[in-house]
């Protein structure tokens, strides 16, 4: 097999795969080197990694100028200072469920403007007219069920805050993570197990060790793993 990683200076770190070609975006230049591949019995190695048993790469055929893409920052833990902070994180969990996290992150400032900076006392008073207003706002990802869930969740958050003399007291009122997770999923709408873990982690509450928790749900969830890895790098003693 032929290692093409040693003969081209553009090959350093990251490859982008497509159906008919593989390309690498050079970190120093706003260009991509495109390698076409052909069916062949020979395998290919790029920097010591085998890519395919039935494909080989030919020499670079052309340079394609591309726009530099914005990379989504990895979500970090916060210390909530108000109920609005809790509703902000919870709503982000709701809207990014089943959707690209980057898509939601790119629109999040518009979400904050449309939802009154996630002040729960204001969102809780939203009416059907507000739902229609949000559904017509082209800056948002417009899901009527998720919009209605956010209004319901704002009302629930206020109720729990009053009942427990502080929403954080509610979060500390259960005997275990599993009990709290079950109660949150029962009370709040459009919040599943993945969203509960994301929410509690982001607002700096205790969560199970990530690798153990991951065995209880389906999928790999690489964005969640990035979030956990960043927290561990920032705080080596982080219990996650």
């Amino acid at each position: 097999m032929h290692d093409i990683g040693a003969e081209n200076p553009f090959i350093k770190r990251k490859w982008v795969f497509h159906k008919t070609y593989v390309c690498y975006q050079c970190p120093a230049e706003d260009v991509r080197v495109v390698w076409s591949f052909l069916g062949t019995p020979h395998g290919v190695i790029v920097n010591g990694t085998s890519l395919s048993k039935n494909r080989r790469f030919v020499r670079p055929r052309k340079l394609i100028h591309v726009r530099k893409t914005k990379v989504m920052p990895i979500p970090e833990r916060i210390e909530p200072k108000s109920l609005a902070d809790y509703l902000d994180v919870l709503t982000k969990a709701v809207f990014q469920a089943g959707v690209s996290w980057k898509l939601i992150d790119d629109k999040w400032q518009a979400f904050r403007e449309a939802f009154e900076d996630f002040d729960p006392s204001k969102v809780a008073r939203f009416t059907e007219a507000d739902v229609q207003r949000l559904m017509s706002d082209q800056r948002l990802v417009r899901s009527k069920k998720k919009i209605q869930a956010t209004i319901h969740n704002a009302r629930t958050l206020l109720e729990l805050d009053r009942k427990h003399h502080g929403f954080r007291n509610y979060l500390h009122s259960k005997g275990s993570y599993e009990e709290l997770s079950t109660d949150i999923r029962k009370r709040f709408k459009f919040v599943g197990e993945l969203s509960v873990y994301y929410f509690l982690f982001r607002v700096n509450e205790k969560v199970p060790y990530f690798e153990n928790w991951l065995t209880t749900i389906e999928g790999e969830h690489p964005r969640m793993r990035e979030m956990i890895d960043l927290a561990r790098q920032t705080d080596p003693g982080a219990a996650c």
Side-chain angles (χ1 to χ4, degrees):
M1 288 192 283
H2 181 51
D3 189 341
I4 62 175
E7 67 181 47
N8 193 292
F10 286 98
I11 301 172
K12 295 185 183 297
R13 283 194 278 170
K14 186 175 181 180
W15 288 81
V16 181
F17 290 82
H18 297 270
K19 291 183 179 179
T20 57
Y21 61 86
V22 176
C23 62
Y24 174 76
Q25 183 161 358
C26 175
E29 302 289 341
D30 195 19
V31 298
R32 286 181 180 177
V33 178
V34 179
W35 297 76
S36 297
F37 57 73
L38 305 173
T40 172
H42 304 291
V44 175
I45 297 177
V46 176
N47 291 342
T49 302
S50 177
L51 295 183
S52 172
K53 294 181 179 179
N54 299 310
R55 294 171 180 167
R56 70 178 177 82
F57 287 86
V58 299
R59 304 294 264 175
R61 298 179 60 180
K62 58 183 176 180
L63 296 179
I64 298 179
H65 287 268
V66 295
R67 297 179 187 174
K68 292 180 180 178
T69 56
K70 177 184 175 183
V71 178
M72 173 190 162
I74 300 173
E76 298 182 13
R77 278 183 152 173
I78 66 168
E79 287 290 346
K81 295 180 174 58
S82 66
L83 290 180
D85 290 336
Y86 286 108
L87 187 59
D88 185 302
V89 175
L90 183 63
T91 305
K92 198 166 194 179
V94 167
F95 273 89
Q96 69 190 13
V99 180
S100 162
W101 284 24
K102 184 178 185 303
L103 174 65
I104 300 302
D105 188 71
D106 287 346
K107 295 175 177 288
W108 202 242
Q109 186 55 43
F111 270 90
R112 285 175 172 153
E113 294 171 3
F115 281 92
E116 302 283 357
D117 287 324
F118 291 109
D119 181 336
S121 63
K122 295 180 180 180
V123 177
R125 294 196 295 269
F126 279 11
T127 64
E128 183 60 29
D130 291 296
V131 174
Q132 295 305 316
R133 169 180 61 81
L134 294 168
M135 285 296 294
S136 64
D137 191 334
Q138 297 184 5
R139 301 174 302 162
L140 310 180
V141 173
R142 291 168 288 176
S143 166
K144 188 171 184 178
K145 288 184 178 180
K146 291 184 177 182
I147 291 171
Q148 292 172 330
T150 300
I151 298 170
H152 168 87
N153 292 345
R155 294 167 181 168
T156 301
L157 193 153
L158 289 172
E159 178 186 348
L160 291 171
D161 181 66
R162 287 191 296 266
K163 181 178 179 180
H164 293 271
H165 306 289
F167 185 69
R168 177 166 286 182
N169 292 334
Y170 160 71
L171 295 178
H172 296 170
S173 67
K174 305 302 177 183
S176 66
Y177 171 85
E178 290 73 19
E179 185 181 354
L180 177 59
S181 173
T182 299
D183 197 65
I184 288 175
R185 286 182 283 131
K186 177 181 177 181
R187 293 177 182 274
F188 292 91
K189 290 186 177 180
F190 232 102
V191 177
E193 180 57 49
L194 189 69
S195 296
V196 171
Y197 192 99
Y198 172 91
F199 169 67
L200 292 177
F201 177 83
R202 289 285 319 280
V203 298
N204 211 21
E205 294 295 332
K206 291 182 179 180
V207 293
Y209 189 68
F210 180 71
E211 281 73 17
N212 294 340
W213 171 80
L214 196 61
T215 64
T216 66
I217 61 172
E218 295 182 358
E220 294 297 323
H221 308 291
R223 298 314 303 263
M224 291 281 286
R225 186 177 293 279
E226 287 178 350
M227 185 176 69
I228 298 298
D229 288 344
L230 176 64
R232 289 171 176 170
Q233 292 168 15
T234 306
D235 179 10
C240 57

